[in-house]
């Protein structure tokens, strides 16, 4: 009787159900999204270093090298807090991408108004004049930390004001403007530089800063190149270049943008 009961327990525990398939699928999807987030970033290199330490710990344990295992144990114990600090940009980006998931978008309302036209108009003026600019539009992830790096403002968005801010030799022209809703909340702000490859050599510090913010948050960052007058947009960790005024308006309005170079 005991042997029969044990056999029944084994059959029950080894039976594959739809719940097991669901769990495997969810875990695989989570790991896949994590790999997509860290691909091409410094996080991938850091994880490689962690894998080397884990392998060294396993080898030291097999060879009974007590001092090495003790030291590596301390590294793993306190290294978790260091990793949280090191991976802060990646964690912020992960939360931002989570907020962009199709399920959460069902609960968001897209607000459209004249603000997008004012921004597009200002960008068109700056591009025609060959004046460099970088404009960050806040979405779900707050940009308060970056606003604090510049000058705090509370001014309604207008094409004239944006054009004036980026006029050469003006006090706030060197840095990014941050827009929240229909209000300019910061100017002369410093943005994080991307650690990845930007692309063409003609893309300079403004483009690297725009891509850096787009990697860490869900902001839309518009760049006007001072050298080429080309308009680019960084969002979702990617950079789109050579946008026309019509394409920029469509992008800001949430419409499909076609034929982006």
């Amino acid at each position: 009787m005991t042997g029969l009961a044990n056999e029944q327990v084994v059959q029950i525990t080894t039976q594959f159900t739809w719940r097991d398939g669901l769990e495997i699928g969810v875990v695989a999807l989570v790991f896949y999204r994590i790999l997509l987030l860290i691909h091409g970033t410094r996080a991938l290199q850091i994880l490689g270093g962690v894998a080397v330490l884990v392998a060294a710990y396993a080898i030291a344990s097999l060879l009974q090298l007590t001092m090495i295992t003790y030291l590596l144990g301390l590294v793993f114990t306190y290294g978790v807090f260091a990793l949280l600090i090191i991976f802060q940009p990646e964690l912020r980006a992960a939360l931002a991408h989570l907020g962009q998931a199709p399920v959460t978008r069902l609960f968001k309302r897209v607000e459209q108004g004249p603000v997008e036209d004012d921004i597009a108009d200002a960008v068109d003026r700056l591009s025609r004049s060959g004046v460099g600019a970088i404009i960050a539009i806040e979405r779900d992830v707050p940009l308060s930390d970056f606003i604090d790096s510049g000058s705090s403002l509370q001014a309604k968005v207008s094409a004239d004001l944006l054009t004036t801010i980026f006029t050469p030799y003006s006090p706030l022209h060197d840095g990014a403007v941050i827009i929240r809703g229909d209000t300019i909340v910061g100017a002369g702000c410093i943005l994080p530089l991307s650690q990845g490859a930007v692309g063409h050599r003609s893309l300079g510090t403004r483009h690297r800063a725009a891509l850096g913010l787009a990697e860490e948050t869900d902001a839309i960052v518009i760049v006007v190149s001072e050298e080429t007058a080309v308009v680019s947009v960084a969002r979702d960790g990617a950079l789109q270049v050579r946008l026309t005024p019509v394409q920029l308006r469509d992008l800001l309005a949430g419409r499909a943008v076609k034929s982006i170079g």
Side-chain angles (χ1 to χ4, degrees):
M1 292 295 292
T2 304
L4 181 60
N6 290 335
E7 183 178 355
Q8 291 177 347
V9 170
V10 171
Q11 290 178 351
I12 293 175
T13 55
T14 58
Q15 185 178 4
F16 187 85
T17 65
W18 66 269
R19 292 184 178 86
D20 300 319
L22 178 61
E23 289 180 340
I24 293 173
V26 170
V27 172
L29 179 61
V30 169
F31 276 101
Y32 173 71
R33 297 299 300 179
I34 292 174
L35 289 175
L36 285 182
L37 285 175
I38 67 176
H39 177 69
T41 66
R42 60 175 182 169
L44 192 59
Q45 299 174 350
I46 296 174
L47 286 180
V50 172
V52 171
L53 290 178
V54 171
Y57 183 84
I59 295 173
S61 297
L62 290 175
L63 298 177
Q64 296 182 351
L65 303 176
T66 56
M67 180 174 291
I68 295 178
T69 55
Y70 173 74
L71 292 176
L72 288 177
L74 291 178
V75 170
F76 293 142
T77 300
Y78 299 103
V80 175
F81 302 101
L83 288 177
L84 289 176
I85 298 174
I86 294 173
F87 286 150
Q88 182 182 5
E90 285 74 17
L91 292 173
R92 188 185 301 177
L95 293 176
H97 282 281
L98 180 62
Q100 299 166 16
V103 175
T104 58
R105 286 176 184 169
L106 296 175
F107 300 96
K108 297 178 183 176
R109 297 181 60 183
V110 178
E111 298 180 0
Q112 299 181 7
V115 175
E116 61 212 23
D117 293 328
D118 283 318
I119 296 174
D121 188 18
V123 170
D124 187 33
R125 292 188 202 177
L126 294 166
S127 176
R128 290 177 183 273
S129 303
V131 177
I134 179 168
I135 302 172
I137 303 172
E138 183 183 79
R139 298 169 77 186
D140 295 323
V141 178
L143 303 180
S144 302
D145 292 342
F146 306 106
I147 296 172
D148 294 338
S149 67
S151 298
S152 180
L153 298 177
Q154 286 295 324
K156 186 174 177 60
V157 173
S158 70
D160 292 335
L161 180 56
L162 287 172
T163 305
T164 302
I165 290 175
F166 290 109
T167 301
Y169 307 111
S170 68
L172 300 175
H173 84 284
D174 190 15
V177 162
I178 297 180
I179 295 175
R180 176 181 294 156
D182 62 350
T183 305
I184 299 175
V185 293
C189 301
I190 300 174
L191 304 183
L193 298 181
S194 173
Q195 301 299 317
V198 176
H200 199 272
R201 290 183 178 179
S202 63
L203 305 180
T205 304
R206 284 192 179 93
H207 297 85
R208 189 174 293 278
L211 191 56
L213 185 65
E215 289 171 348
E216 293 192 15
T217 71
D218 63 343
I220 296 177
V221 193
I222 306 169
V223 180
V224 180
S225 173
E226 189 173 357
E227 291 76 17
T228 63
V230 169
V231 177
S232 306
V233 171
R235 59 171 180 167
D236 300 333
L239 187 68
Q240 299 170 301
V241 299
R242 300 187 182 279
L243 272 72
T244 66
V246 174
Q247 289 174 326
L248 181 59
R249 280 184 168 84
D250 288 341
L251 187 149
L252 294 176
R255 296 187 290 266
V257 181
K258 298 181 181 180
S259 301
I260 293 181

